[in-house]
Structures are given as structure tokens and as C-alpha cells.
Amino acid sequence: MELQRSLLGLLLGFLVLSLTPLSSARFVVEKNSLRVTSPDKIKGTYDSAIGNFGIPQYGGSMAGTVLYPKENQKGCKEFSEFGISFKSTPGALPTFVLVDRGDCFFALKVWNAQKAGASAVLVADNIEERLITMDSPEEDGSTSKYIENITIPSALIEKSFGQTLKKSISSGDMVNVNLDWREAVPHPDDRVEYELWTNSNDECGVKCDMLMEFVKDFRGAAQILEIGGYTQFTPHYITWYCPQAFTLSKQCKSQCINHGRYCAPDPEQDFSTGYEGKDVVLENLRQLCVFKVVNKTNKPWVWWDYVTDFQIRCPMKEKKYNKECADSVIKSLGLDIKKVEQCMGDPTADSENSVLKEEQDAQVGKGSRGDVTILPTLVVNNRQYRGKLEKGAVLKAICSGFEETTEPAVCLSSDVETNECLDNNGGCWQNKAANLTACKDTFRGRVCECPLVDGVQFKGDGYTTCEARDGHAFSACTDNGEVQCQCPPGLKGDGVKSCEDVDECKEKKACQCPECSCKNTWGSYDCSCSGNLLYIKDHDTCISKAASGGKSAWAAVWVILIGLAMAGGGAYLVYKYRLRSYMDSEIRAIMAQYMPLDSQAEVPNHVNDERA
């Protein structure tokens, strides 16, 4: 048995080394920013490597005061043994404990500091080298007790920077720092691409249990994100290949398919009992093909259902980890078994399998992403996630990959929302009467942004002012002797829950003429006419601008002419009347002088007037 285990260890060593050509191997250390804010003499921004355990605060930042303990400086023992506590007093900044590298696992140092009340841990390297990733140790009975319970973030810093911090602290300075994870994941747009490098093996210990638990817990959130089109998820499976010298060995034959091209370690690390590595490779291949089949039907989220159901229904412990059980799960989900089998190909063929070959190629780092060598590994927007594989922590990382203010509702669930709008409305503009606010809870914190209400974008700075289109704000609250809720004119609703704009155009309440065109606005409407026509609102009709202008002008001219003619005619009649009266009087006066008439009284005349 011991000989078999030794051979297995040697073989696995060869398999790991044979994962990719050494010339292209490149492990990327994922970093976050550490900024010293005081004292002034060491102010600046420094790199730190994110630990691959605990819960980094992706998308956020954390401020704290650095403390370097006078005893237990490597943190390998519990700090309570030395009477040391790092719990912050009310009103004080959180405590970041600085410990030295060496003598014990990184995770144990962080666990001891966490139990003593630390909010974060900085581990100072003990040699001058480039930053490395602090990984969790191989789980066993003793380490599993604390690895799964680490909830604080940690980071490795360079030896020189650690010495700078120690020197400043020893001189009595208060060293304040800010750990910033906001740029740890790129967030260029409103969709996040992420990958989960996983394994179907459920008998590899604590890590397998953690992975299975994560898949079950995260399925709901993953499916919501995928169905809504917010994310593009792709599952991947790590495989190894057997070195050419060992392809005919019993070990390679039991662990590999396609003549040593695609391998997985023996689940029990015992070739004489239980399942074989090739059983794991085949199920990995099946799960990949399930994803490819459902992805072609535009339902990639069904992969989460298959993987979860397979874990529950087909565990190795119950000896159900086999094709028959897998087929029953596939049938229960209404998937086409033949398409899945066609995708899987022939595992006994001495040739490449296109699906698994693609997976091996994908393991090699491209661009900013390094090689995938840790199992499991989550990759978000081409950056490898570091930390505990747990629903809340992973959701934080994925949500930090969205462009600011574009996060979907699932990112503002109780697990990850900041809830800053609950306290004093986040300091943003608010209309309590209309129940409107400019405060938006985003994954990175609140944003003051004027709201969009029923198609109307309010404008303003979001902090002190927000006004609706054209500067009009609306409220359903009225006070006409009795306070009541009544929608303003042009709006419909109960005034309590909603006030919606009346669409006069759609409801044919305006602009009924054939040439009219109607445009609905908030609380009103606008009518216009096509071409060279003018809309007359009183008559709800369109008339020609030219015609209407010409008729009006000619009408005015005719009115003036008629008026002048009438005035002239009237003046002429008055003139004729007065002239005729004058002539009659003159004639009668002359005739009276020469032919007096007995019957005619003396007629006054101008001649007599002149004589007098």
C-alpha cells in the first residue's frame, strides 16, 4: 500500500508538471491596493497580494489602524495566551494586525488574529522576492476546523514595506492604511463574464465538500444573473495528461482516457479500491457536454440544475457515481441524452477529444489571466478570484465586475447591498410627498442620481435638486381644506401608489384630423401638422400656412378699401347736401328781390347778412 501511495505521489507530480509546457507556465498573483494615509513620512500606495482564503471585500475598501504585536509576532499561537486583544473600541478604526511570515501556515496566522478581534491581517514576507499568493494548506482534520471559518481578508506585503511599517509603529506613530479591492476586478460594462474551474469528484475532502456546498447555494443567484442576461457563465474542468513514459502503466490506465491524454487523480488515492480517476474524467466530460447542449438551446443556466442534482442523486459514497445515474438526471431535466453522448465521443480512442483538448488549452493563461492551477478557481472578467468559495463572497466579486450603477437587483440583495440609503437617505435629494429619491444603493456604495419616473428623467445634481422635464415637478398630495392624494391634471391613478401619465395620443383624445400628428408629454400633449400646414387647436384641424396668411392679408386690404370707400361716400353725400342747401338759399334770396311772392315769407339770406 505504501509503495502504491509513493508511486501515486510520484505520478501525480509528473502529471502536474506535465499540465502545460514549462515555457508558457505563468501563475498570476492577484493584487489589491494598500494605501498608507498616515503618518506623512510613509504616505503612499503599495501592492499587496490577496490571500486565497477568507473573504476579500471585492468592490469595496476598508480603512484601519496597523498594529504589530510585541509578542507572538508570527501569529502561530493564539494571542489570548499572551493576553493580547485586537478588538476595536467604539468609534475607533478597525485593527489590521501585522504578522511575520514563517513557522506555520498563512491561514493559521489569520485565524489566530481573527479570534483575537482583528479585522484584517497583513503578513510581511521574510525574504526579498516578488509577491506570492498565500494559499490555504491541504485540508485535514486539524486545518479544516479553521480554514472554513476565516471571514476576514488578508494580504501579503513585501519585506521592505513590512519593515517600514514596523519602524514607524515602533517610533510611536499611528499608522493608518486603506485596503482597496475596488479595482481588483475590472468593471468595464454592464455584463460580467465569469468561469468556474471545478470538478465532479465529491470524495476529495473538505475542498470537495466546500465546492459542492457552493454550487448548491449559488445556483439560484447564478441562474437569475444568467436568465437576465447580466452574466455570461462558462464551466471548466481541469485535466492532466500522463507523461509518455507512463501511458501503458496501470496507474495511467486507471486514471486516464484516450490513451493517457486526459487524466484525473484517483478519488481515494488508492488504485485497489473505489472509483478510478478515469471515472471522474468521464463525468467531467459529461458535465461539459451537458453545458454545450443546453447552451445551444439558449438555456445555459440548466447546467447548474444538472450539477446540483447529480451531486445529490449520484454520490460516490452511495456507489451511484456512474453513467446510469447521470442519464437519469439528464432525462429528468428533459435533455437529449444522444446529443450529450455524441458530444462526449469515444473515450477509448487513441486520438484527441475536441472538448477536453479545448479545456487543456484554456488552462493556459491568456492576457491578464494566469494559468489555472488551483482547484477550484473562479475567474471574473479574466481575473482569478482569491478567497473563500462562498455564495456571499463570490457574489460580491461578480457584482464588482459590473460598471457602476448597472448592477442587477440580485447584487443589491441582503447579502451584498450597502443599505446606505436607509440612513438619512444617503445625503441625497428626496421628495417625501411624492416618495421620490435620488439615492441608489449600488454594490460599491450609494450614488446620488436623479430618478427616472414613468419615462420622465428628473434632472439635477442628485444631492440638492431634481426636477422633472421642463422644470416641472409633480406631487399627488393636495391640501384644499382636507389633505388627500389626487393625481395632478393630465395624470391618472389613485394618487397613493401611482400617478401615471394619460396618453392622450394613444387614447385618441386629441389630434384627430388626418394630417395631425400627436406627441405625448408628461401631463399634457402636443399636436402638429405635417408639411406646410398649421394646426388650429380650437378647431382640431390643419390649414395651409400660405393660404391662411394670404387670405388674412387680402381680407385686411379689402376691409381697408371698403372702409375708405364708405368714408368717401359719406363725405361726398354730406358735401352734396350742404352744397345744395347753400345754393337753394342763394337762389331764393335773389328771386325774392325780383319776384316777391305774396305767399312766401322773407327768407334769411347771406346777402342780407353781408349788408348788415
Side-chain angles (χ1 to χ4, degrees), residues 470-487:
D470 300 326
H472 299 293
F474 300 92
S475 173
C477 185
T478 59
D479 187 4
N480 50 1
E482 180 181 352
V483 177
Q484 58 182 340
C485 297
Q486 183 176 349
C487 292

Side-chain angles (χ1 to χ4, degrees), residues 222-242:
Q223 291 181 325
I224 290 172
L225 291 168
E226 201 73 9
I227 292 172
Y230 302 113
T231 60
Q232 184 180 55
F233 167 73
T234 308
H236 287 292
Y237 293 78
I238 290 180
T239 60
W240 292 264
Y241 63 83
C242 188

Side-chain angles (χ1 to χ4, degrees), residues 38-82:
S38 68
D40 291 340
K41 61 185 179 183
I42 61 172
K43 266 187 179 181
T45 302
Y46 305 85
D47 280 339
S48 60
I50 304 173
N52 196 35
F53 47 82
I55 302 179
Q57 300 300 313
Y58 279 98
S61 60
M62 179 188 292
T65 301
V66 181
L67 294 181
Y68 182 56
K70 293 181 179 180
E71 297 177 281
N72 195 27
Q73 294 178 337
K74 290 185 178 179
C76 293
K77 297 180 180 180
E78 293 191 14
F79 286 95
S80 59
E81 296 180 14
F82 303 88

Side-chain angles (χ1 to χ4, degrees), residues 462-522:
Y463 294 92
T464 58
T465 58
C466 281
E467 293 183 343
R469 185 183 300 166
D470 300 326
H472 299 293
F474 300 92
S475 173
C477 185
T478 59
D479 187 4
N480 50 1
E482 180 181 352
V483 177
Q484 58 182 340
C485 297
Q486 183 176 349
C487 292
L491 306 180
K492 63 181 179 180
D494 58 11
V496 179
K497 295 183 178 179
S498 66
C499 281
E500 298 179 355
D501 187 21
V502 177
D503 193 339
E504 291 88 353
C505 301
K506 186 176 181 180
E507 297 180 10
K508 303 296 183 182
K509 293 184 178 181
C511 309
Q512 297 298 300
C513 58
E515 303 89 352
C516 298
S517 61
C518 187
K519 181 180 180 182
N520 195 64
T521 59
W522 181 255

Side-chain angles (χ1 to χ4, degrees), residues 53-187:
F53 47 82
I55 302 179
Q57 300 300 313
Y58 279 98
S61 60
M62 179 188 292
T65 301
V66 181
L67 294 181
Y68 182 56
K70 293 181 179 180
E71 297 177 281
N72 195 27
Q73 294 178 337
K74 290 185 178 179
C76 293
K77 297 180 180 180
E78 293 191 14
F79 286 95
S80 59
E81 296 180 14
F82 303 88
I84 298 175
S85 173
F86 301 118
K87 292 181 180 178
S88 302
T89 57
L93 284 172
T95 302
F96 291 4
V97 177
L98 176 64
V99 296
D100 294 323
R101 178 183 178 182
D103 292 356
C104 62
F105 295 127
F106 291 116
L108 181 59
K109 299 173 186 288
V110 177
W111 172 241
N112 287 334
Q114 176 180 307
K115 286 197 296 182
S119 298
V121 174
L122 303 178
V123 180
D125 206 341
N126 54 3
I127 58 173
E128 291 292 352
E129 62 176 349
R130 291 184 178 180
L131 289 173
I132 61 172
T133 296
M134 299 187 298
D135 199 4
S136 57
E138 203 62 38
E139 290 90 345
D140 56 29
S142 59
T143 59
S144 61
K145 293 179 182 178
Y146 62 82
I147 292 176
E148 285 302 297
N149 294 316
I150 296 175
T151 58
I152 64 173
S154 59
L156 181 73
I157 61 176
E158 293 177 344
K159 179 180 179 180
S160 57
F161 178 46
Q163 290 175 336
T164 300
L165 292 177
K166 294 173 193 175
K167 183 178 179 181
S168 184
I169 293 170
S170 63
S171 63
D173 294 326
M174 177 180 284
V175 178
N176 292 334
V177 300
N178 189 293
L179 274 172
D180 194 340
W181 295 268
R182 286 176 293 184
E183 299 303 321
V185 174
H187 41 94

